[in-house]
Amino acid sequence: MTSRPRALLLTLLIASGLSAGIARADEPACGPIDAVTGQPVTDPPAVAFTGGLDAALAQTCRELATLADDANPPACRVTESGTVDAAGATGASQTHYALYCVGPEAASGACELKGAALFLDQGAGRISRFLMRLDDPGEMDISAPSIGRAGPDTMLELPVSVSGTGAFSDDDVFFFQQDRWTRLDTQCWESDLQKRLPAGLSVDKGVNLNLVGLTAQAWLYRKQDANCCPTGGSVDVNLKRAGDRLVIESLQIDRKARPDG
């Protein structure tokens, strides 16, 4: 594209609920980090549409193209859309998603950028979009979302994987409460985890989070370890939801565990 005033990796997060970037007096100042600014994500209000789902999908495509290049918006097309698979969870029939291809050659199949959006059907033709994001497909892959139970909660997860030597997940997660989806902070607890580890150990790569089981696992690194080969063992974590974030309930460290078994 001839001009792009923003970084190549661009994420715009729009969600209802409390801002994850504002810390309470009794909680640490952490939360989802914006990929461009490196600052905590502050979610603006949800965006409402009155022309039904098709109009919301089309308008979102135009907005994604403008985000990619506001001076000369490229082509944009919807590559996949539907009702979020839910297995009977509350709010499932009202939740929809769309995946997008954005770029000069998008109409013919080549995607320079990939986008995603989540919508809640509020009835009477009113559609509320509570998330929109645009990413570099060379570094990130966005998959269709799903809804399921996690402990006592109904959760919505948009899977986003990041490739490379530091491969990890950058999923967007929401919980259903009071007829709306509210963003769940799934990162803040990792700062607490680092503080609880024995001296000389750290989590240097992505944590494997099991949202359904509310558990997580990570390899532990010593200072001299190469990125490929942690020698500090592993940590297994049990989590629970406290307000709009996950917190550690308990953890167990296995100093003998190794990635190669």
Side-chain angles (χ1 to χ4, degrees):
M1 301 179 191
T2 57
S3 101
R4 182 176 296 115
R6 302 168 179 84
L8 179 61
L9 177 59
L10 174 65
T11 303
L12 174 67
L13 301 170
I14 299 177
S16 56
L18 297 174
S19 165
I22 301 175
R24 299 176 181 83
D26 59 344
E27 295 178 334
C30 58
I33 302 300
D34 185 274
V36 175
T37 66
Q39 299 299 313
V41 170
T42 300
D43 293 332
V47 176
F49 302 88
T50 58
L53 183 60
D54 288 343
L57 266 59
Q59 176 60 32
T60 298
C61 211
R62 290 190 288 271
E63 292 181 29
L64 287 170
T66 301
L67 283 172
D69 187 342
D70 54 7
N72 185 26
C76 174
R77 63 183 173 89
V78 176
T79 59
E80 183 180 342
S81 65
T83 300
V84 181
D85 182 24
T90 303
S93 62
Q94 300 176 327
T95 305
H96 306 272
Y97 76 97
L99 304 182
Y100 296 86
C101 173
V102 180
E105 307 299 326
S108 61
C111 305
E112 182 171 326
L113 300 170
K114 288 185 178 180
L118 298 174
F119 307 87
L120 184 63
D121 187 342
Q122 298 175 309
R126 296 173 301 170
I127 301 294
S128 176
R129 186 184 67 210
F130 59 96
L131 178 138
M132 180 173 72
R133 65 180 293 161
L134 184 65
D135 296 299
D136 176 6
E139 299 180 12
M140 287 188 169
D141 186 46
I142 308 175
S143 305
S146 62
I147 297 175
R149 300 292 294 180
D153 297 310
T154 296
M155 297 284 193
L156 167 62
E157 181 177 18
L158 177 70
V160 182
S161 60
V162 182
S163 61
T165 57
F168 63 96
S169 296
D170 187 31
D171 301 349
D172 292 305
V173 181
F174 301 83
F175 63 97
F176 199 75
Q177 187 176 64
Q178 298 178 343
D179 298 324
R180 66 174 184 172
W181 291 107
T182 297
R183 173 174 295 282
L184 181 68
D185 178 353
T186 60
Q187 299 177 12
C188 191
W189 68 271
E190 294 182 30
S191 297
D192 186 29
L193 174 61
Q194 295 283 6
K195 298 174 184 177
R196 297 193 188 194
L197 296 177
L201 297 179
S202 63
V203 176
D204 292 356
K205 292 182 64 175
V207 173
N208 294 315
L209 174 64
N210 179 345
L211 189 61
V212 173
L214 289 179
T215 60
Q217 187 272 339
W219 297 109
L220 299 177
Y221 286 76
R222 293 188 174 96
K223 187 175 181 179
Q224 70 276 12
D225 289 345
N227 192 46
C228 66
C229 311
T231 63
S234 67
V235 58
D236 292 283
V237 185
N238 293 313
L239 302 162
K240 65 179 181 180
R241 181 175 69 82
D244 61 351
R245 63 182 50 178
L246 293 179
V247 298
I248 297 175
E249 192 168 36
S250 63
L251 61 86
Q252 183 174 0
I253 295 173
D254 182 353
R255 300 293 293 266
K256 297 181 180 180
R258 298 291 184 270
D260 59 2

